[in-house]
Amino acid sequence: YGTITNLEESPLDVDLLYAGTDDGLIQVSEDGGATWREAGRPKGLPEHYYVNDLLADRFDRNTVYAVIDLHKAGDFRPLIFKSSNLGKSWRSISGDLPERHIVWRLVQDAVKPGLMFAGTEFGIFVTVDGGEQWVKLKGGMPNIPIRDLVIQEREVDLVAASFGREFFVL
């Protein structure tokens, strides 16, 4: 344990950084990495967990999202959390994501704050309300693990990479 699995810089403040680890720590720096503090832990999680992804909000400096993974402990729930106070407290935004859908990646639209996409073990899900309700993207998208997502802002495309298979441009 102790490996940094994610490092995220706020798009609104270059001095605001987040780091997530493979043993469940989320650290926050508000001075460009000179000093760090441990963020609070989401309730209901064991002591150790894997931080699959961190996402600093594009519209609110104080908001950050964490994607948590417990599959190595036999827990395959989709776990997405949101903090509106720089990681001090968290609430679930997993909404109605199906059980046993590990979430690998989360991205937020550059124009609409509540529009987000989650890459899961079984495809891509989208929410337009910040995580209260999720809908699976279909239209020919296969039922495969989507391990990475990015929004190409210039082309306004969602690009998804699967686990060892291919990538998709939507």
Side-chain angles (χ1 to χ4, degrees):
Y1 293 133
T3 301
I4 294 174
T5 56
N6 287 276
L7 190 60
E8 174 75 351
E9 177 184 19
S10 169
L12 303 174
D13 180 351
V14 297
D15 288 328
L16 180 57
L17 305 171
Y18 297 94
T21 67
D22 63 350
D23 59 356
L25 295 178
I26 298 174
Q27 302 280 329
V28 182
S29 175
E30 295 185 67
D31 57 12
T35 61
W36 293 84
R37 69 165 170 82
E38 187 174 334
R41 291 178 168 267
K43 291 183 191 248
L45 295 180
E47 183 179 349
H48 299 289
Y49 51 84
Y50 195 98
V51 180
N52 270 351
D53 197 16
L54 292 171
L55 175 68
D57 193 274
R58 294 168 157 260
F59 302 92
D60 179 7
R61 178 191 181 279
N62 296 325
T63 299
V64 61
Y65 305 89
V67 175
I68 305 301
D69 180 358
L70 293 170
H71 86 272
K72 291 182 181 179
D75 185 343
F76 299 91
R77 289 178 294 160
L79 298 167
I80 307 173
F81 294 92
K82 176 181 180 179
S83 172
S84 298
N85 56 11
L86 299 169
K88 293 179 181 125
S89 63
W90 300 87
R91 71 175 182 87
S92 174
I93 62 162
S94 300
D96 57 356
L97 283 169
E99 290 293 317
R100 301 185 62 81
H101 272 60
I102 301 165
V103 180
W104 299 108
R105 198 70 60 224
L106 184 68
V107 294
Q108 182 181 38
D109 186 70
V111 178
K112 297 180 181 176
L115 178 58
M116 302 176 85
F117 300 89
T120 77
E121 187 66 15
F122 300 103
I124 300 173
F125 286 78
V126 61
T127 180
V128 295
D129 59 11
E132 297 301 319
Q133 296 180 329
W134 293 88
V135 175
K136 186 170 184 176
L137 284 184
K138 295 183 181 177
M141 189 73 194
N143 196 30
I144 58 175
I146 299 299
R147 293 289 180 100
D148 206 0
L149 291 171
V150 67
I151 295 177
Q152 295 285 352
E153 290 184 36
R154 188 185 77 195
E155 304 300 328
V156 194
D157 290 333
L158 175 67
V159 180
S162 71
F163 182 62
R165 235 180 121 175
E166 52 200 343
F167 70 93
F168 304 86
V169 180
L170 309 167

